[in-house]
Amino acid sequence: MVTLENISKTYNEGALTAVDKVSFEVKKGELFGLIGPDGAGKTSIFRMLTTVLLPDGGNASVNGLDVVTGYKEIRKQVGYMPGKFSLYQDLTVEENLNFFATLFNTTVKENYDLIKEIYVQIEPFKTRKAGKLSGGMKQKLALCCALIHRPTVLFLDEPTTGVDTVSRKEFWDMLKRLKVQGITILVSTPYMDEATLCERIALIQSGKIMSIDTPAAIIKAYPEPLFAVKSEKMSVLLQDLRKQESVKSCFAFGEYHHLTFQENSPEVQPSLRKNLEKLGHAAIELKEITPTIEDCFIQLMNH
Amino acid sequence: MQNVVIKTDKLTKKFGDFTATDAITFEVYEGEIFGFLGANGAGKTTAMRMLCGLSTPTSGEATIAGFDIYKDTEKIKANIGYMSQKFSLYEDLTVIENIRFFGGVYGLSDQEIKEKSDHLIDLLGLKEESKKLVGSLPLGWKQKLAFSVAIIHDPKIVFLDEPTGGVDPVTRRQFWDLIYEASNRGITIFVTTHYMDEAEYCNRISMMVDGEMKALDTPTNLKKTYNAASMDEVFFELARGAKRQAD
């Protein structure tokens, strides 16, 4: 459905490479996540696929249509929710929705079944100006407007950035229900914990794809055993662990620090524990864990 | 006993008949990393604006670094640092110009600015980039520079409003190393974040829901109280009851 072959984009007359020969494919009906921090090139990729930005190299197509030559047709078939709120702030909720329906030669009534579940949540505020909505409601309205012409491919650029945990969960539930309707969804996010909610993901950093696979396969490909460790003094523990000869890498990870060893022999754990006790650490907990996508991202960034 | 650097008593801000911040009472200790969490629209920004001396409360009391929140707002501003994800540095000024500018704004002498900027550029490894426009730096470096600039005048307290939003996982952790360093130097850190793993790095966490402070404790105790495996669950448990949706 969406294909990218060595797509590149540079800015400032070539001085800045935003997207560096990126290739991947999103299958029909798939929920595909582009996971990476700000400046990784996510938005440039979205803008090229939605035909609002020309690539400098490579090819890309959406529904079999080339993004450069087939732009008119692509625009009719896709829905795009940009990262920046782009609806008309001085039009009401209802007016925005009607406006976008009219642009695509359709009516709200005709496609109401598709947006109904989302729209009912903002319907009580339908006469309110879009600029006066809360973040969560703006996000829901923007999604309705992107869906109103029944697109076959939906591009969502960081829909959950700056949104709190509760609204983020609600948003991902909505996406799952849209997927059931057969819509292909390409979504980007800087939140690594959202990666597991996608069927397949691409991890992207500095314009380059570091890995593409299912979240489970990316986690499985983590190259070495990973351990979680904690003690009563976490800040000191981090510094002490980094000084240990047996420790290869160590970084803070919420309640625990995550670490890998230089060598994974049976003695390495008890001997680390002993060393930490000698350094005055109490209530030490050390256990092997399954990596998260964020662990994988950090590992890939460092190689 | 621990020194108290922020003390509020029923601090309230109303906009017409809407109570954005509803009688919040809490204390923050010197050198503490204090996490200020809450759902969108919970009243965090309004509360922070009052604590920074930018907005006059409707009622209640507060002292920031010993200064009264009604009468001494200018003294409060001189004794705090502030950094947000949205605005922190001038992109069209160079690294060194930004340091000089903020040093000047925070009232440092020319001599102090010179010493501080040399030290900072050295510390951050930005010697090669000191004459480059900030806009051309990678986001991670910008954030680290912004933080260092926010504490250039050795404030008692620094307010960080979502300082790590959108930053890559490695840089995000390096940023927290800077936070720990500042905290070890006795600077109090008042920080908001959407990353729940970062909530774990705070000494204590407060949770705002619908304008009220619904919880305040260490991460460990909060997890115990709410019988939750992670801070994410604690947040969800507290915030899902929220009625407000405003931003």
Side-chain angles (χ1 to χ4, degrees):
Chain A
M1 272 303 109
V2 181
T3 312
L4 295 87
E5 280 176 82
N6 291 320
I7 264 293
S8 291
K9 182 71 202 176
T10 62
Y11 297 107
N12 301 343
E13 290 161 0
L16 178 79
T17 304
V19 181
D20 195 1
K21 295 187 184 128
V22 163
S23 304
F24 64 89
E25 209 177 82
V26 185
K27 294 169 196 151
K28 188 172 159 45
E30 191 172 37
L31 177 53
F32 189 97
L34 202 52
I35 318 288
D38 289 1
K42 304 189 299 293
T43 299
S44 293
I45 291 175
F46 272 84
R47 291 173 59 81
M48 289 189 281
L49 293 174
T50 51
T51 79
V52 289
L53 185 69
L54 285 171
D56 294 321
N59 296 301
S61 68
V62 177
N63 287 346
L65 299 157
D66 184 89
V67 291
V68 179
T69 56
Y71 74 95
K72 278 189 181 162
E73 202 47 47
I74 289 178
R75 288 179 188 187
K76 287 180 202 159
Q77 297 178 13
V78 306
Y80 175 35
M81 182 172 157
K84 195 173 165 245
F85 184 67
S86 303
L87 303 181
Y88 291 94
Q89 311 254 8
D90 51 352
L91 293 185
T92 65
V93 166
E94 218 174 10
E95 285 166 344
N96 265 296
L97 198 55
N98 277 320
F99 175 80
F100 283 98
T102 311
L103 269 187
F104 287 100
N105 264 321
T106 182
T107 59
V108 174
K109 205 176 147 200
E110 202 172 325
N111 297 310
Y112 190 69
D113 61 299
L114 190 60
I115 62 160
K116 189 182 166 207
E117 216 173 316
I118 307 159
Y119 189 64
V120 288
Q121 299 175 51
I122 48 172
E123 207 170 11
F125 312 99
K126 64 181 181 185
T127 55
R128 192 182 285 189
K129 288 198 169 130
K132 300 268 183 211
L133 293 176
S134 72
M137 288 197 281
K138 273 182 184 164
Q139 179 202 43
K140 281 170 190 152
L141 176 61
L143 184 59
C144 286
C145 290
L147 282 169
I148 198 61
H149 58 297
R150 208 172 273 278
T152 52
V153 186
L154 191 57
F155 293 96
L156 307 171
D157 192 6
E158 295 203 22
T160 54
T161 291
V163 178
D164 68 64
T165 312
V166 178
S167 306
R168 275 166 58 191
K169 280 200 170 80
E170 282 175 14
F171 195 83
W172 280 93
D173 287 339
M174 289 189 281
L175 291 192
K176 274 184 210 152
R177 290 195 288 270
L178 286 173
K179 196 193 121 53
V180 175
Q181 309 244 18
I183 299 176
T184 305
I185 303 172
L186 178 59
V187 58
S188 70
T189 177
Y191 297 109
M192 305 282 152
D193 57 337
E194 292 183 341
T196 48
L197 302 168
C198 304
E199 286 167 286
R200 282 195 310 142
I201 53 173
L203 301 182
I204 183 167
Q205 166 77 2
S206 306
K208 287 195 176 91
I209 303 272
M210 300 192 296
S211 184
I212 307 177
D213 215 322
T214 62
I218 287 179
I219 286 168
K220 214 175 159 212
Y222 196 83
E224 55 206 321
L226 183 70
F227 296 85
V229 55
K230 79 176 198 181
S231 80
E232 275 171 349
K233 288 180 261 165
M234 292 301 281
S235 168
V236 185
L237 179 65
L238 190 62
Q239 288 162 21
D240 286 346
L241 284 169
R242 283 176 179 161
K243 285 181 205 142
Q244 296 292 312
E245 272 177 19
S246 63
V247 172
K248 186 172 165 191
S249 75
C250 182
F251 46 87
F253 211 102
E255 193 185 352
Y256 292 84
H257 299 323
H258 286 186
L259 73 86
T260 59
F261 288 109
Q262 296 286 5
E263 278 170 61
N264 288 286
S265 60
E267 313 86 68
V268 73
Q269 286 190 60
S271 98
L272 177 69
R273 198 181 275 271
K274 219 176 279 167
N275 288 350
L276 292 176
E277 276 164 6
K278 257 186 240 159
L279 288 163
H281 288 281
I284 300 164
E285 204 185 313
L286 174 64
K287 58 182 181 188
E288 187 171 355
I289 51 160
T290 307
T292 64
I293 290 294
E294 186 150 345
D295 290 302
C296 299
F297 201 97
I298 292 171
Q299 194 272 329
L300 289 162
M301 265 183 83
N302 291 331
H303 285 83
Chain B
M1 271 311 282
Q2 284 168 297
N3 290 330
V4 173
V5 289
I6 298 177
K7 183 176 171 56
T8 76
D9 185 19
K10 298 194 180 88
L11 191 64
T12 301
K13 179 81 186 186
K14 292 183 181 175
F15 297 104
D17 55 8
F18 177 73
T19 308
T21 305
D22 195 359
I24 58 174
T25 301
F26 66 97
E27 288 180 351
V28 181
Y29 308 120
E30 185 172 11
E32 184 174 30
I33 304 176
F34 187 88
F36 194 56
L37 309 188
N40 298 121
K44 294 194 300 287
T45 305
T46 306
M48 264 181 118
R49 286 179 53 82
M50 287 192 281
L51 299 177
C52 291
L54 297 171
S55 165
T56 311
T58 310
S59 63
E61 303 294 329
T63 52
I64 311 299
F67 299 109
D68 183 80
I69 203 168
Y70 292 94
K71 290 181 295 193
D72 301 325
T73 51
E74 287 312 309
K75 282 186 189 140
I76 289 175
K77 287 176 202 166
N79 281 280
I80 61 166
Y82 176 81
M83 171 196 166
S84 84
Q85 186 201 352
K86 280 177 195 131
F87 172 78
S88 38
L89 297 169
Y90 289 96
E91 302 249 307
D92 52 355
L93 293 183
T94 64
V95 170
I96 192 86
E97 284 168 345
N98 265 291
I99 297 175
R100 277 191 204 129
F101 176 80
F102 282 99
V105 165
Y106 284 127
L108 299 188
S109 69
D110 287 352
Q111 181 59 32
E112 283 171 319
I113 290 174
K114 168 117 192 30
E115 284 167 17
K116 284 277 182 183
S117 44
D118 290 348
H119 175 69
L120 264 187
I121 283 170
D122 209 37
L123 185 77
L124 296 169
L126 285 173
K127 202 155 202 145
E128 303 271 305
E129 284 79 16
S130 69
K131 294 204 169 88
K132 280 192 185 157
L133 295 186
V134 160
S136 70
L137 295 183
L139 182 74
W141 288 13
K142 269 188 229 173
Q143 298 293 86
K144 282 182 237 168
L145 179 62
F147 179 70
S148 306
V149 163
I151 56 170
I152 196 166
H153 55 308
D154 289 318
K156 296 226 166 50
I157 308 158
V158 62
F159 289 88
L160 307 173
D161 195 359
E162 283 186 41
T164 54
V167 178
D168 72 67
V170 172
T171 310
R172 205 150 69 74
R173 285 169 173 81
Q174 291 168 351
F175 192 86
W176 272 89
D177 287 344
L178 291 180
I179 291 182
Y180 277 130
E181 250 168 59
S183 155
N184 289 339
R185 271 164 49 200
I187 297 177
T188 305
I189 316 284
F190 190 97
V191 59
T192 74
T193 180
H194 277 306
Y195 293 102
M196 285 303 131
D197 60 321
E198 294 186 347
E200 294 278 0
Y201 308 150
C202 300
N203 297 109
R204 286 188 305 152
I205 296 287
S206 61
M207 268 286 302
M208 295 279 292
V209 180
D210 289 343
E212 294 174 37
M213 195 171 272
K214 284 286 185 202
L216 171 59
D217 214 327
T218 62
T220 309
N221 286 344
L222 282 176
K223 281 183 283 185
K224 246 182 238 159
T225 307
Y226 292 92
N227 196 14
S230 66
M231 279 308 296
D232 204 42
E233 278 179 33
V234 173
F235 186 97
F236 198 74
E237 192 58 40
L238 280 160
R240 69 174 181 177
K243 290 174 186 71
R244 284 199 334 220
Q245 278 249 322
D247 245 347

